[in-house]
Each structure stands twice: as structure tokens, then as C-alpha cells.
Amino acid sequence: MDFLLWVRGPAFDVAVAIFLIGVVARLFEILLLGRKPLHSEPKGGEFGNGMAEIFKRSVPLPDIVKRGAVTLVGGYVFHIGLFITIFLFVPHIELINSIFGVRWPGLPNPVVDGVTVVTMVAMVVLLVHRLLQPVKRMLSGFEDYLTWVVTFLPILTGWIAYHRLVNPYPLILGIHILTVELLLIVLPFTKLMHAFTLFLSRWYNGAVYGRRGVQS
Amino acid sequence: MSSLSIERGLYDFKAVIDAPIASYFSSCVHCGLCAEACLFYVETGDPKYTPIRKLEPLRRVWEQEYTIVGKLKKLVGLSKPVTDDELEEWKELLYASCTMCGRCSQVCPVGNDIAYMVRKAREGMVSSGHAPEPLVGAATRAVKIGSPMGVKWPAVQNQIKHVEADTGLKIPIDVQGAEYMPLLSSMEIINFPEYLGALAKIFKQAGITWTIASKAFEATNAGLQIGSSDIERELVVRVVDEAERLGVKFVIGPECGHAFNAIRWDGPELIGRPYKFRVLPARHGRDQLRRHAGCRYPQLVLRRRRRREQHGGVRAPPAQGLRRQAQAAGGGRARAPGDGVRQLPADDRGGPRALQDGDPDRRSHRDDRRAPERGLRRLLEPRQNANDLRRQGGAGGQREMNSYDRTLSR
């Protein structure tokens, strides 16, 4: 019980603090580098095209779908799965409500349970693909496997806790929360930061090409 | 380019990193999709051609200099500095294996503009002395002679003489206050002089004044190709100075994608102010999408290599259906000696076709009256092509073409 109190209390506060400070620091680190002023006569708008690109980029180009099928399908499934398990699981919504005082309807537990399994399967497929596909294997280093582990653990431990596969329950719940804290601490300083910088990158890309009046 | 060193290279790597590049490196999740869009990877299957990997030296400099974790790692001696040998190894990846076509920038799911980063990384390659010899030669010729192919003003004058004889129209030179000032690529001067003739006819029909600038006729920008903003600026300034001295309202960029990008987009950024004139593409108002079709040269070379190796069929071009208009028209890959490629024919389906000397197809391509439109020519003369003009033009044109071929095969 002490363990659960600790992970819910001081450990949680520390993890959230590192996460928030880390993300803000990383964003500043990027944005402070700035951009050189542009003098060429623009052919299209920057801001609107950049904003549009943030959404348009979510749809892959048809040509790449076949060649990158595993990555794309696996990536979509696990990102959507991650979203559902984190934000549409009723106990999670209750937690968020207890902190921020906002709530939204969740999905029935059995549905989230199924989604969790699918998410884990997708992640395992992607890991195997990373180990086997020459390009991904070449690109991958310690960080790529570390981030996979810290993303996978909360899902796995949450699923185990939900099914009461480990006793006592407070122990597995504590481990689940601890893995989430690990994820929060690691996120700002690894490629997981793409959860935030993705919007910047897509905007810059869309803005540059939009300004030139060509599709991005 | 007096003292090339790894220190200067790393300094330039540091200098080119801006917010977008930092954001791009922060966003990369190593998904490998950029490789599937890269024609060098698709054609060879060699993972070393993965676009984002081509930026590994730049990425490490970013990590070590501009990130909290990287700085900590550097403090405790955990980071691997970028070395001279490494840059030498990356020379092939950053130059010979990238046309900056921008397909990777189009497919990256997090939106990384990889082609932009390749262009920036080349700055450091130049100042560390790791730019390829042929490009250094071309850039040197561009700065010293005025043209990367070594085409001087008398050669242009010679072509102008033939074009004037063919068309019966005067080609205006250095006319103060003319409205339009077209730029020419070496290719247009030597191999496609009919471009000049077509321009003369169009301007006459339209009743618009125009001029060729004897001090700024060359559009090719070897500075962009090699990735040196100093050289790129120098070459842009020549055009800007002449255009503003002559007081023209419009400069017409050439068909060549990289040359157009240099004068249209990079130029004002490099000189730090807007122009006093506007830059228009050669196909202004018409077929603008095809202008961005990108340089097909690498596909040509790779396919040719393959065919030589396998004597087999040729695979369909990779990612051919990708939206072509946004490829930023390349500007990356200069012809290197030994490639043996002398021209860039396109077959009826719009794909590349490798032709060798003595290949009967090469001949038929030159005679092909239905060859894809080139620039403005077809507007006026649907049936006339380079060969007809050359025949009419007589020995002069032929001689020039041979010297051009020599330049390429040198």
C-alpha cells in the first residue's frame, strides 16, 4: 500500500513536473533557433497552408501505402489504440476529472480491453518489423528500443491490472502508474517528443511549400 | 574557399540549423518511410540511401550543440564527434545520391522537409572540403568564366547569329528599359537554340520589348547545386545587378528547375532584400505543374547501371504517381564525368529512358517530331524540333554541340 501511495503521490508529481518542464524546454530549444527572414515574393500563404498540412499529413500518399504497408497500418492501429486506451477508458477519465474537473463519455470496458490487445499486437508487429526490415534496423538504435519499451509497458501493465492477473491488485496498479511515470519522464528527451514537434514540423513543411504555391 | 577544414564544416553545420531543422530532427521516429519514396533506395534496395540517414552528420551536430540531452552527453564524453572521414563517406550520400527532388519531404508522416535539410547540410560539406570534384569544377567555372559548362558570351552571340538568320528576327542585347529579360541555361544556348528563336517570335507577336543581358545570360546556378550560399549569392547577384541596371520589369527563369529556384526563391533570401523586378517561370501561365516535374537524371543513371548489370528488363519507376508538382524541381545532382550520360530523353509515357551513344533509339529520339514539348517552342512551331533548326543553322550549331558533348564527357 505504501508503494501505491508513493507512486500516486510524490513520484507522480515529480514525473509530471519533469514532463511539463521538459516539453516546454524542448519546444523553446527548437523555437528559439528561429528562421531567417524571407524576402522572396510569396506565391501563396504560409500560415493557412501550414495549418492545413497538419491535418493533410495524416493521410498517407497513395503511392507509399503499398510499399510502407506494415509501417502505416501498424502505426495507425497503435496510435489510435493508444488514444482509445488512454482517453476513452472510464477509470482514466475519472482520474482526469479528479485533477482537471472535466469529463467526457468513455467506451465500455470490454471494448477498451479488445482495443488494448489489438494495440499491443500492432506494437509487437512493428517491433518485429523494426528488427527485420533493413532500413528500419539500420536506422534504429538504443533510443528506438527504449521508447518502444516505455510505451509498451503501461499498456501491458494496465491490461494485466484490469484482468487482475497479478495479485495483490494495488501492487500491479502501482507498477502500472510507475510505468506511466517512466513514459512521462522519457518522453521530452527522446523521439517520443514527436507527439508535440509533429505539429511544428508539419506546419513548417506546409508553410514552405504553400508559400511557393506548390503542393506539399 | 581558401581554407577548407572540418572545423569550418562543423561551424557551417551549426550555422544552418534553424527552428525547422531542429523540429524535424526532434520529430523523426525512424519509421523508414522516406526510403520508400527515395528513388535511390527503391532502385537499389540499399538501406544506406534512406533519406534521413543522409543527414546523420547534421543530426549529430544538432544533438550535440542544440539539445539538453546532447549537451549532457557531450559533457560526460558520451557523444561521437563528426569526423573528416565520416563526411568523406557521406559525400556520396549527400551529393551523388540525392537530387533534392523532395519526394521524401512529401511522404514523411511527421512532415519533415528532408530535401531542405540536404541542401543545408551541403553548406558544411563545401566548407569542410567534401564537395565532389566535378561540382567544384563547375562552380569554379561559373564564378570565373560565368558559366558552369564554360559557355562564354561569344558562344551565345554565335547562336544568336544563327537564330537571327533562321527567324529573321533581331535578338535584342542589353537593351535599357526593356520589359522582359529571359535567362538561358547552357543547355538552351547550345542544344536548344530554338528556345531563343521561339522567344523572339512570341515577343514580336505580343509586341513586348525584351532583352538578353550579355553579362547575365546564364541561369544555371552552380552555387545551389554544390550547396554553397556564397557562390549561389554571387551568381544571383550578377543577374540582379544586370536586371536592375537595365531596369527590366520581369526576369524569365529557365526551364531548369534548380536554376529557377535559385533566382526565384533563394535569391532574395541570399541578398537580403526583395528584387526590383519579378521573376517568372518559362512556362508562365501554362503547364506550370509539369515545370516542377523534377530532374529525372538519377533514375536514368541507375536504370542504365542496372541494365548493364542484368541485361534484363527495367522496373517501373518508383513512386512515379507521387504528386510531382511539389518536387521543388531538384537542383541537387550535377553530371559527373564517367556517368556517360549526354542527354535526358523522355519516352512517350513521360518516363526516363537511358540511351547510349550509337543506340538507334537515341537517333530516333532526336528526330522525333512528337517529342514532348520543350518550353515555349511548340506554341509556335508544333513540328519544328532541335534537329531541323540545327540543320538549318549549319555547321556553327553542330560545332557548338560537339563542344558541349565534350564538356560533358570530359
Side-chain angles (χ1 to χ4, degrees):
Chain A
M1 224 24 216
D2 283 349
F3 172 62
L4 186 59
L5 283 177
W6 178 76
V7 290
R8 275 185 166 171
F12 187 77
D13 293 343
V14 169
V16 169
I18 292 176
F19 170 75
L20 289 177
I21 295 168
V23 167
V24 171
R26 287 296 319 278
L27 288 176
F28 267 100
E29 184 182 280
I30 292 164
L31 292 171
L32 285 179
L33 283 166
R35 282 200 297 167
K36 280 198 179 138
L38 299 172
H39 302 284
S40 54
E41 177 199 353
K43 220 179 140 190
E46 271 195 278
F47 184 78
N49 282 305
M51 294 309 281
E53 191 65 26
I54 291 175
F55 298 98
K56 281 195 286 187
R57 249 329 133 115
S58 299
V59 184
L61 292 183
D63 302 71
I64 213 72
V65 170
K66 216 168 138 194
R67 295 192 63 92
V70 177
T71 307
L72 282 168
V73 174
Y76 261 104
V77 168
F78 113 76
H79 276 93
I80 294 169
L82 219 49
F83 177 83
I84 291 174
T85 50
I86 295 173
F87 294 110
L88 298 180
F89 183 50
V90 175
H92 291 169
I93 298 172
E94 287 305 322
L95 174 72
I96 292 166
N97 184 41
S98 70
I99 301 170
F100 298 104
V102 282
R103 65 161 74 239
W104 51 84
L107 286 174
N109 285 354
V111 174
V112 177
D113 181 26
V115 169
T116 309
V117 174
V118 172
T119 306
M120 287 192 290
V121 170
M123 281 194 73
V124 170
V125 168
L126 285 173
L127 178 67
V128 173
H129 195 239
R130 187 170 283 288
L131 289 163
L132 295 181
Q133 209 256 353
V135 169
K136 278 183 164 177
R137 196 174 54 205
M138 180 210 63
L139 288 174
S140 302
F142 173 73
E143 190 185 315
D144 296 273
Y145 299 108
L146 172 77
T147 49
W148 187 91
V149 169
V150 298
T151 311
F152 190 76
L153 282 180
I155 314 174
L156 180 68
T157 55
W159 187 77
I160 290 174
Y162 171 73
H163 285 281
R164 308 286 197 276
L165 294 178
V166 169
N167 282 313
Y169 178 71
L171 174 69
I172 186 65
L173 183 65
I175 292 174
H176 173 58
I177 296 171
L178 190 65
T179 56
V180 173
E181 287 160 6
L182 188 65
L183 174 65
L184 286 175
I185 292 169
V186 167
L187 191 144
F189 310 106
T190 57
K191 68 173 189 177
L192 295 177
M193 187 63 193
H194 78 275
F196 296 92
T197 55
L198 156 111
F199 300 101
L200 286 179
S201 296
R202 286 183 179 182
W203 187 86
Y204 282 130
N205 191 317
V208 165
Y209 288 94
R211 191 171 183 280
R212 293 185 177 204
V214 290
Q215 268 182 285
S216 45
Chain B
M1 301 212 292
S2 49
S3 56
L4 305 175
S5 64
I6 180 76
E7 288 76 25
R8 272 198 60 188
L10 295 181
Y11 179 84
D12 276 354
F13 274 153
K14 253 184 93 171
V16 297
I17 293 169
D18 54 6
I21 292 183
S23 173
Y24 297 154
F25 281 136
S26 301
S27 303
C28 179
V29 292
H30 293 166
C31 73
L33 283 177
C34 50
E36 307 299 345
C38 180
L39 41 95
F40 287 91
Y41 169 73
V42 173
E43 288 284 324
T44 62
D46 189 338
K48 75 174 180 180
Y49 293 123
T50 304
I52 196 69
R53 183 178 179 265
K54 295 172 186 168
L55 298 157
E56 185 56 17
L58 185 68
R59 191 199 66 81
R60 289 231 306 278
V61 169
W62 161 76
E63 192 189 25
Q64 290 160 17
E65 301 290 339
Y66 295 117
T67 70
I68 301 160
V69 174
K71 278 180 191 154
L72 284 175
K73 270 164 108 181
K74 205 172 156 187
L75 266 181
V76 295
L78 270 175
S79 60
K80 206 172 108 203
V82 175
T83 63
D84 236 346
D85 291 343
E86 206 175 352
L87 291 187
E88 186 58 26
E89 193 190 331
W90 251 258
K91 178 156 100 176
E92 187 218 345
L93 300 176
L94 277 169
Y95 285 99
S97 317
C98 178
T99 70
M100 280 170 32
C101 72
R103 283 184 170 112
C104 47
S105 302
Q106 283 190 310
V107 303
C108 176
V110 294
N112 290 352
D113 189 352
I114 298 171
Y116 171 80
M117 294 196 278
V118 168
R119 167 65 186 86
K120 293 295 180 187
R122 286 179 181 176
E123 296 279 348
M125 296 300 279
V126 172
S127 50
S128 62
H130 292 291
E133 271 309 308
L135 273 177
V136 174
T140 311
R141 282 193 295 277
V143 172
K144 288 189 176 155
I145 300 174
S147 150
M149 302 290 185
V151 177
K152 293 180 188 172
W153 178 242
V156 185
Q157 272 179 314
N158 192 24
Q159 291 292 53
I160 286 176
K161 223 184 293 168
H162 290 298
V163 170
E164 283 181 342
D166 288 342
T167 59
L169 296 169
K170 181 110 187 83
I171 307 288
I173 296 162
D174 294 333
V175 177
Q176 190 75 36
E179 211 169 334
Y180 285 81
M181 176 179 132
L183 302 176
L184 307 165
S185 69
S186 299
M187 200 66 172
E188 279 151 359
I189 298 165
I190 302 308
N191 262 1
F192 304 106
E194 66 270 28
Y195 174 71
L196 207 46
L199 280 179
K201 289 176 187 173
I202 291 170
F203 283 124
K204 181 174 181 286
Q205 289 298 319
I208 296 170
T209 56
W210 66 296
T211 185
I212 295 285
S214 63
K215 290 199 186 90
F217 58 87
E218 177 66 69
T220 315
N221 196 312
L224 189 156
Q225 288 172 320
I226 200 169
S228 159
S229 42
D230 292 339
I231 297 172
E232 192 179 358
R233 185 184 308 109
E234 158 97 20
L235 298 177
V236 163
V237 163
R238 283 180 194 172
V239 174
V240 174
D241 282 354
E242 273 308 279
E244 292 184 350
R245 187 181 68 81
L246 294 171
V248 301
K249 283 197 195 122
F250 303 98
V251 166
I252 301 181
E255 196 75 4
C256 173
H258 92 267
F260 179 75
N261 272 344
I263 192 70
R264 172 68 178 87
W265 297 108
D266 292 353
E269 272 53 294
L270 290 165
I271 65 171
R273 65 168 174 87
Y275 298 146
K276 292 175 188 149
F277 53 88
R278 292 185 67 203
V279 179
L280 305 175
R283 287 182 181 178
H284 184 61
R286 144 174 196 281
D287 213 353
Q288 288 205 35
L289 299 186
R290 278 189 51 189
R291 193 186 56 70
H292 281 279
C295 186
R296 295 206 183 96
Y297 181 65
Q299 271 171 304
L300 194 70
V301 177
L302 286 166
R303 205 149 301 169
R304 188 188 170 99
R305 206 180 287 161
R306 237 177 136 76
R307 214 193 258 177
R308 221 183 284 136
E309 283 164 6
Q310 304 179 344
H311 303 284
V314 173
R315 252 202 305 188
Q320 209 190 17
L322 279 185
R323 293 169 294 176
R324 285 189 169 170
Q325 57 271 48
Q327 285 166 23
R333 171 70 149 90
R335 297 157 184 225
D339 284 336
V341 175
R342 295 188 177 181
Q343 64 179 52
L344 299 169
D347 68 16
D348 295 338
R349 292 176 302 279
R353 197 166 64 181
L355 299 179
Q356 312 206 357
D357 289 341
D359 189 333
D361 281 356
R362 183 178 160 103
R363 180 86 202 138
S364 76
H365 162 74
R366 286 192 170 179
D367 287 338
D368 185 4
R369 282 161 195 271
R370 285 163 303 159
E373 302 143 298
R374 283 193 205 90
L376 300 154
R377 189 178 79 227
R378 242 189 142 183
L379 265 180
L380 287 168
E381 290 180 322
R383 295 195 180 202
Q384 192 132 22
N385 65 23
N387 232 27
D388 297 337
L389 270 177
R390 209 169 286 121
R391 260 184 243 119
Q392 292 162 15
Q398 194 61 48
R399 197 178 61 240
E400 286 297 337
M401 202 195 71
N402 289 341
S403 75
Y404 178 70
D405 277 2
R406 270 201 303 281
T407 313
L408 289 187
S409 55
R410 206 186 288 147

